[in-house]
Amino acid sequence: MTDSIMSKAATMEIPINSNGDTGTLPEDDSLEQAAKLQWSLDEKDLQQVMVSGPNLNETSIVSGGYGGTAEGIIPTSSMKGSNMHHSSSSSSMSAEEATRGVAVEKLETMKKWGLNTYKCTKQMISERFGRGSRTVDLELEAQIEVLRDTKRKYENVLRLARALTNHFYNMVQTQHALGDTFADLSQKSPELRDEFGYNAETQKLLCKNGETLLGAINFFVSSINTLVNKTMEDTLMTIKMYENARLEYDAYRSDLEELSLGPRDAVAMARIEAAQQQYQTQKDKYERLRSDVIIKLKFLEENKVKVMHKQLLLFHNAISAYFAGNQQQLEQTLKQFNIKLRPPGADKPSWLEEQ
């Protein structure tokens, strides 16, 4: 019926009025109704295709036509989607579990750090106000105090030796400039040639001996600097670690003593057992660092005596030879301690070394 109506509409003539408007025909209403009917049919077919037919996201295996029942449709995308969803969900769950594990680990670390800091702060305040007890090793603490006092005194020696080096270097530079000036005047003053010449040679000799002495003093300064700022400082760092371990040990010891004085129910016994384990861990750490400090103090004392014996002998012999005017002995002193000076043509003064 629809085809007959559309064929009839296609073969009908549409008259045009003089002004270009279409004329009114009796068949206009039937044409409009036929177009509406055809549009409604096409729309129903399109909806049926969208419901039962394939789309961009899934492919269906249909047992009947587009008008078939829903029982004959097997969506293949649902099978693929279920596997993909399962794998993606499992990977996301593993990633979440890993992230959760890292977060829990960091939280536990922060919790332990906070608890340890609280215990140590409490112990420190108790010791400062005289309410808490502390572990004291009188012999070891006396040795530590001696080391700190020795380091302060050696730092003063190092400061004074550097000041002496700077002042003496300026004096040598002045002697060098004075010798050059005397030599120039010796060439330009014939009547005083010999006198200016003698003084020029004297200043040049003093300048040479001064550079030799500066080489010895600089070697002395370098050795004292290594002893103070490296060897002693390394031992003091170990002592600082030992003192922190002592504070932690006393903090956990006091905590265990407080728990031991409390009730003895199941919860309290579990806390006491955990405190006992922590106390034993801190005790082992404290004793290990205490042993390290004792060993380092012993080796430091031996090294200090050996180094200072050599450096003080060098300093004495070099200073004595220079001010006695004994150039040969001064040079022999540098050879004795294997001190090599820079050649005269070097850019920097022979005695200057990088600190």
Side-chain angles (χ1 to χ4, degrees):
M1 179 180 177
T2 305
D3 295 338
S4 63
I5 294 173
M6 293 303 297
S7 62
K8 179 181 177 181
T11 56
M12 290 180 63
E13 294 181 358
I14 302 175
I16 306 298
N17 296 333
S18 60
N19 59 358
D21 297 332
T22 60
T24 303
L25 295 176
E27 291 83 5
D28 287 347
D29 295 336
S30 62
L31 287 174
E32 183 178 0
Q33 293 175 1
K36 289 181 179 180
L37 178 61
Q38 182 66 30
W39 170 255
S40 63
L41 291 174
D42 294 339
E43 185 177 6
K44 289 181 179 179
D45 292 339
L46 180 60
Q47 291 177 354
Q48 181 68 24
V49 170
M50 294 180 64
V51 171
S52 60
N55 53 29
L56 296 176
N57 296 326
E58 63 179 7
T59 304
S60 303
I61 303 174
V62 185
S63 60
Y66 282 114
T69 61
E71 295 177 356
I73 300 174
I74 305 174
T76 58
S77 63
S78 62
M79 296 185 290
K80 294 181 180 180
S82 62
N83 295 331
M84 294 176 64
H85 178 70
H86 179 69
S87 61
S88 62
S89 62
S90 61
S91 61
S92 62
M93 287 178 63
S94 62
E96 289 178 359
E97 289 177 356
T99 305
R100 190 180 296 111
V102 173
V104 170
E105 183 180 355
K106 289 184 177 180
L107 184 61
E108 288 296 326
T109 302
M110 291 295 296
K111 183 179 178 182
K112 291 180 181 179
W113 176 83
L115 183 61
N116 184 73
T117 303
Y118 166 74
K119 291 180 182 295
C120 293
T121 305
K122 180 181 177 183
Q123 177 67 24
M124 186 185 301
I125 294 174
S126 298
E127 291 178 3
R128 185 164 298 179
F129 287 95
R131 294 195 297 265
S133 60
R134 64 186 298 265
T135 302
V136 179
D137 189 332
L138 295 177
E139 183 179 358
L140 183 58
E141 292 192 1
Q143 293 178 4
I144 292 173
E145 187 59 33
V146 169
L147 172 60
R148 286 175 173 154
D149 185 63
T150 302
K151 185 174 183 291
R152 286 191 293 268
K153 292 178 179 179
Y154 277 42
E155 286 174 342
N156 190 40
V157 171
L158 181 61
R159 180 181 60 82
L160 294 174
R162 282 174 172 167
L164 175 63
T165 302
N166 292 331
H167 295 321
F168 199 77
Y169 170 73
N170 292 329
M171 187 185 76
V172 170
Q173 292 299 104
T174 303
Q175 288 176 337
H176 188 276
L178 189 58
D180 290 342
T181 303
F182 284 157
D184 182 64
L185 289 172
S186 176
Q187 298 293 329
K188 297 179 179 180
S189 303
E191 67 280 5
L192 297 173
R193 178 179 302 171
D194 294 337
E195 288 78 359
F196 278 126
Y198 296 151
N199 282 277
E201 291 297 328
T202 301
Q203 293 302 319
K204 288 181 180 179
L205 180 61
L206 290 174
C207 182
K208 180 181 177 181
N209 292 340
E211 288 184 350
T212 305
L213 177 62
L214 282 171
I217 297 176
N218 186 71
F219 186 77
F220 174 82
V221 169
S222 177
S223 300
I224 300 299
N225 179 67
T226 302
L227 178 64
V228 172
N229 293 321
K230 292 184 179 180
T231 309
M232 290 185 178
E233 189 64 29
D234 178 72
T235 304
L236 288 174
M237 287 296 295
T238 306
I239 291 173
K240 186 176 180 180
M241 294 170 60
Y242 157 75
E243 291 175 344
N244 291 335
R246 197 278 309 164
L247 182 64
E248 292 178 352
Y249 165 69
D250 283 337
Y252 282 91
R253 177 182 56 79
S254 300
D255 185 55
L256 179 60
E257 291 175 354
E258 290 179 3
L259 290 175
S260 300
L261 297 176
R264 294 285 179 160
D265 55 1
V267 177
M269 291 302 297
R271 294 180 62 185
I272 290 174
E273 184 178 356
Q276 180 68 36
Q277 294 177 356
Q278 294 174 347
Y279 163 76
Q280 188 62 40
T281 301
Q282 296 299 330
K283 182 179 179 182
D284 295 341
K285 179 181 178 182
Y286 164 74
E287 291 179 350
R288 184 181 70 254
L289 286 172
R290 178 177 175 275
S291 177
D292 292 344
V293 169
I294 292 174
I295 293 173
K296 284 198 172 186
L297 285 174
K298 179 181 178 181
F299 282 112
L300 175 61
E301 184 64 24
E302 295 176 357
N303 187 38
K304 183 193 71 173
V305 172
K306 185 188 301 183
V307 169
M308 293 308 298
H309 174 76
K310 177 180 178 180
Q311 296 304 318
L312 291 173
L313 184 62
L314 165 68
F315 190 82
H316 173 268
N317 292 346
I319 292 289
S320 300
Y322 174 80
F323 285 99
N326 193 338
Q327 181 181 358
Q328 183 178 1
Q329 183 181 355
L330 181 60
E331 294 176 353
Q332 185 64 31
T333 300
L334 267 67
K335 291 180 181 180
Q336 178 183 355
F337 293 95
N338 298 321
I339 301 174
K340 296 181 179 180
L341 300 178
R342 293 180 182 271
D347 295 333
K348 294 182 179 181
S350 59
W351 59 272
L352 187 61
E353 296 179 5
E354 295 294 336
Q355 297 294 330

